[in-house]
């Protein structure tokens, strides 16, 4: 397979993968109870700790108004909480709450089970390589 065909195949497979993931996310077969955006914000806060809205927006490559709405929804549900940034009291920091951790843990468990089932015939080496390549692809989107 020449390079052009390889890139075409990647483009097609990624497009198909994203379409199927969005379909599942919007169907009765949805994984977990959290919306995709909520899940990602909670994962980010759990992994990296408290963050400003501006930092969250930058990490997801979204505008601040979008992240403000999403954090407002999460805060309203008690999944994150807002506090003043000790380095600049005019700015708010968002932190995942215990309830947020519980909801995230439950959804993450369901998502991991789904992917483990999908990848059960893959070798450990194949899964590791696929993860590395996906990470590179995600990074390349904004280079």
């Amino acid at each position: 397979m020449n390079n052009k065909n390889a890139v075409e195949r990647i483009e097609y497979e990624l497009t198909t993968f994203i379409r199927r993931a969005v379909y599942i996310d919007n169907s009765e077969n949805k994984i977990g109870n959290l919306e995709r955006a909520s899940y990602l914000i909670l994962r980010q806060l759990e992994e990296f700790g408290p963050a400003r809205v501006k930092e969250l927006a930058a990490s997801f490559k979204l505008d601040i108004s979008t992240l403000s709405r999403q954090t407002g929804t999460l805060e309203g549900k008690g999944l994150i909480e807002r506090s003043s940034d000790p380095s600049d009291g005019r700015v708010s920091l968002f932190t995942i709450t215990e309830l947020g951790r519980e909801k995230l843990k439950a959804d993450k468990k369901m998502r991991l089970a789904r992917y483990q089932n999908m990848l059960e015939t893959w070798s450990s080496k194949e899964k590791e390589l696929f993860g590395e390549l996906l990470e590179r692809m995600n990074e390349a989107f904004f280079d």
Side-chain angles (χ1 to χ4, degrees), residues 7-74:
V7 172
E8 286 179 7
R9 181 178 180 193
I10 290 167
E11 181 276 332
Y12 176 78
E13 294 300 335
L14 276 174
T15 303
T16 303
F17 181 82
I18 292 165
R19 182 178 186 278
R20 289 176 179 169
V22 169
Y23 168 77
I24 287 173
D25 205 37
N26 294 320
S27 75
E28 67 278 356
N29 297 321
K30 179 181 174 207
I31 305 168
N33 298 308
L34 293 170
E35 297 295 323
R36 184 177 350 114
S38 298
Y39 180 81
L40 288 170
I41 292 169
L42 292 174
R43 287 277 318 252
Q44 182 83 3
L45 292 173
E46 181 188 51
E47 186 170 343
F48 299 106
R52 298 174 174 192
V53 133
K54 187 175 182 178
E55 294 167 339
L56 290 170
S59 71
F60 294 117
K61 308 296 188 223
L62 296 171
D63 60 83
I64 291 174
S65 64
T66 300
L67 254 293
S68 291
R69 280 192 308 277
Q70 293 172 349
T71 55
T73 299
L74 290 170

Side-chain angles (χ1 to χ4, degrees), residues 59-126:
S59 71
F60 294 117
K61 308 296 188 223
L62 296 171
D63 60 83
I64 291 174
S65 64
T66 300
L67 254 293
S68 291
R69 280 192 308 277
Q70 293 172 349
T71 55
T73 299
L74 290 170
E75 187 178 17
K77 293 178 180 179
L79 302 178
I80 63 173
E81 60 189 7
R82 180 190 310 250
S83 62
S84 292
D85 186 337
S87 66
D88 184 351
R90 300 169 295 169
V91 178
S92 295
L93 282 179
F94 289 98
T95 307
I96 188 170
T97 63
E98 193 54 43
L99 177 61
R101 286 184 202 287
E102 290 170 13
K103 300 275 188 190
L104 176 61
K105 183 178 179 180
D107 268 38
K108 188 176 177 182
K109 183 178 180 180
M110 287 185 260
R111 288 170 181 263
L112 289 175
R114 178 70 153 292
Y115 284 112
Q116 285 172 346
N117 184 49
M118 288 171 60
L119 302 171
E120 71 183 348
T121 61
W122 293 30
S123 70
S124 295
K125 190 173 184 176
E126 288 171 321

